[in-house]
Amino acid sequence: MKLADCHNIDDFRRLAKKRLPFPVYDYIDGAADDETTKARNTSAFDHADLVPDVLAGVGAIDTSCTILGRKSALPLMLSPTALQRAFHTDGEMAVARAAEKFGVWFGISSLATHSIEDIATTTQGPKLFQLYVHKDKGLNASMIERCKAARFGALALTVDTIVSGKRERCLRSGFTTPPRFTPRSIWSYATRPRWTLDYIFGSKFRLPQLDGYVAEGTGKAVSIQDYFNTMLDTNMDWDTAARIRQDWGGTFALKGVMSAADARRAVEIGADAIMLSNHGGRQLDGSRSPFDQLPEIVDAVGGKIEIILDGGVRRGTHVLKSMAAGATAVSGGRLYLYALAAAGQAGVERALGILKDEIERGMRLMGITSVDQLTRERLRWR
Ligand SMILES: Cc1cc2nc3c(=O)[nH]c(=O)nc-3n(C[C@H](O)[C@H](O)[C@H](O)COP(=O)(O)O)c2cc1C
């Protein structure tokens, strides 16, 4: 199997599985507990059906929309994900360049493997920084200041990771950051020489946002579960969120809001957007899927705040269904991560090209020429 054989996101997943040592693949593909929420995030899209119109004259269509106050070429964002250098030697740089080519937002994790400054000079495209609130207040302030100086377009505060989810595949594989060879996994590394040689001889694995603050993640191998449970601030609350919103001063989103009550509070603290998300099923297993929860959230805060559906999106029609149900836009992690792992920038570009094509084809088959024509009348819940 090679890149040219990838025609949908699941194809990239299978290619990534072949190319990555299993602890790295399982870190991307895995989720919490029984992984029921991860599965439901995608299967939820089967609960609703699109109702097309025909004879609509769809020669010219416009896929653009406004996300976080800026025009985006597609109603799609790339969610922030940690440790991308472990998936491909070019890490975040590959994703940043692909996102810029397609005119879409790129989310950069607090646990990114390239610095805020290097990413800012690599891409002129819209950039969102994802903040994990650490116990070390100096580290939080430093990340916010660096994003301001680098002119990032938005900050998203992740609120669903107050402790780590129980990611059992990682417990079994012993996955750490930086990745480390263990007796159980050494065979898998040895039989993926391309990844292993890139990892050993390529640019050094670093978590530059943390440099000078914590040794974990860069100098010292640690599991992500231990990192979250020891480094992040379990006391984070609405006052913390309001304060960060103020310190940042720019476009601000809360990532990981699921309840209508929290969505209303997000409006109250002046957030510009919520990312309706359960962290791709990696945190609270048994949590409802963002798509199932979307109508409730739209009824509560629609029109008052941007609602970005995040999680489970694997198809252009999932994007169309979300927009029809009232989302401002959608976002996803694995939809580009499998492709990054499979083939770096070329992989991410191919994945985005496929999704763009699916969105365009879906719009034409729906008989619409712009995404704002996707309204609730175009959707039926089973
Ligand atoms: C490998 C991986 C790493 C992630 N790292 C982060 C992170 O550092 N910060 C964050 O807020 N969310 C992180 N997420 C969650 C994503 O931002 C996003 O919410 C999730 O991937 C959406 O689900 P999807 O993968 O089905 O699209 C990560 C997800 C994955 C798969």
Side-chain angles (χ1 to χ4, degrees):
M1 188 180 193
K2 50 190 190 310
L3 186 58
D5 298 322
C6 294
H7 299 293
N8 60 40
I9 303 304
D10 200 51
D11 289 339
F12 290 106
R13 185 188 61 75
R14 281 185 285 126
L15 187 54
K17 188 170 187 182
K18 278 183 65 172
R19 296 203 168 165
L20 290 176
F22 79 84
V24 183
Y25 171 79
D26 278 343
Y27 171 67
I28 300 176
D29 190 57
D33 299 15
D34 299 312
E35 304 190 356
T36 46
T37 288
K38 180 201 161 199
R40 201 172 296 134
N41 284 353
T42 298
S43 66
F45 290 107
D46 298 338
H47 303 165
D49 298 319
L50 292 163
V51 183
D53 277 344
V54 293
L55 302 175
V58 290
I61 60 168
D62 178 6
T63 58
S64 71
C65 72
T66 300
I67 310 178
L68 297 166
R70 275 182 71 151
K71 188 160 170 169
S72 169
L74 294 169
L76 178 67
M77 290 175 66
L78 307 189
S79 302
T81 58
L83 315 184
Q84 290 178 16
R85 165 70 181 85
F87 314 150
H88 186 273
T89 185
D90 296 334
E92 287 81 5
M93 294 305 179
V95 184
R97 292 192 189 104
E100 185 175 13
K101 269 200 186 173
F102 281 82
V104 296
W105 279 89
F106 171 42
I108 294 112
S109 167
S110 286
L111 304 181
T113 51
H114 283 94
S115 73
I116 288 167
E117 294 75 16
D118 285 352
I119 294 168
T121 48
T122 295
T123 170
Q124 301 308 306
K127 293 170 286 295
L128 166 146
F129 185 78
Q130 174 271 324
L131 185 72
Y132 278 132
V133 172
H134 287 71
K135 285 177 185 151
D136 184 336
K137 294 198 171 52
L139 171 56
N140 302 331
S142 134
M143 290 195 278
I144 293 173
E145 288 312 313
R146 289 171 67 179
C147 288
K148 276 190 203 168
R151 301 186 165 283
F152 271 49
L155 187 88
L157 171 64
T158 296
V159 290
D160 59 14
T161 310
I162 206 77
V163 291
S164 173
K166 185 167 178 249
R167 302 176 190 175
E168 295 182 6
R169 290 202 227 178
C170 289
L171 294 176
R172 283 194 199 93
S173 73
F175 178 76
T176 55
T177 167
R180 178 186 60 177
F181 311 132
T182 62
R184 257 206 87 212
S185 62
I186 192 86
W187 179 247
S188 186
Y189 287 96
T191 50
R192 269 99 177 151
R194 189 190 313 193
W195 183 94
T196 305
L197 293 173
D198 273 350
Y199 183 67
I200 294 172
F201 296 112
S203 59
K204 188 174 177 317
F205 182 97
R206 293 173 56 224
L207 297 177
Q209 276 52 261
L210 312 182
D211 279 353
Y213 289 92
V214 286
E216 278 78 358
T218 298
K220 180 175 154 194
V222 65
S223 77
I224 282 288
Q225 180 159 325
D226 284 348
Y227 184 88
F228 286 155
N229 290 343
T230 54
M231 294 294 156
L232 302 190
D233 183 3
T234 326
N235 292 315
M236 177 169 69
D237 60 10
W238 282 99
D239 289 340
T240 320
R243 216 167 28 246
I244 287 167
R245 199 251 167 288
Q246 217 157 27
D247 291 348
W248 165 243
T251 303
F252 181 72
L254 288 181
K255 177 173 183 287
V257 167
M258 283 297 289
S259 76
D262 281 352
R264 287 193 201 95
R265 288 195 83 163
V267 174
E268 277 166 31
I269 66 160
D272 301 284
I274 50 171
M275 294 182 78
L276 178 61
S277 173
N278 54 36
H279 214 109
R282 297 161 78 83
Q283 288 296 106
L284 178 66
D285 196 36
S287 169
R288 205 170 187 210
S289 78
F291 185 67
D292 282 330
Q293 186 63 354
L294 184 56
E296 207 174 288
I297 298 296
V298 172
D299 287 345
V301 295
K304 297 187 186 135
I305 194 167
E306 292 188 20
I307 302 168
I308 300 166
L309 177 138
D310 170 63
V313 173
R314 303 289 184 267
R315 286 281 181 193
T317 48
H318 297 166
V319 178
L320 302 188
K321 286 179 181 180
S322 304
M323 301 296 284
T328 309
V330 309
S331 194
R334 297 182 185 88
L335 60 81
Y336 73 88
L337 280 182
Y338 297 132
L340 171 67
Q345 183 180 342
V348 180
E349 285 183 17
R350 189 171 170 90
L352 289 177
I354 288 170
L355 287 170
K356 176 177 189 290
D357 198 46
E358 288 186 359
I359 291 169
E360 288 175 349
R361 182 182 304 100
M363 285 176 67
R364 288 200 164 93
L365 291 172
M366 282 291 290
I368 58 168
T369 52
S370 66
V371 291
D372 57 12
Q373 291 163 15
L374 286 162
T375 54
R376 274 199 195 184
E377 300 82 70
R378 304 302 197 116
L379 202 64
R380 294 286 180 283
W381 296 83
R382 282 171 183 245

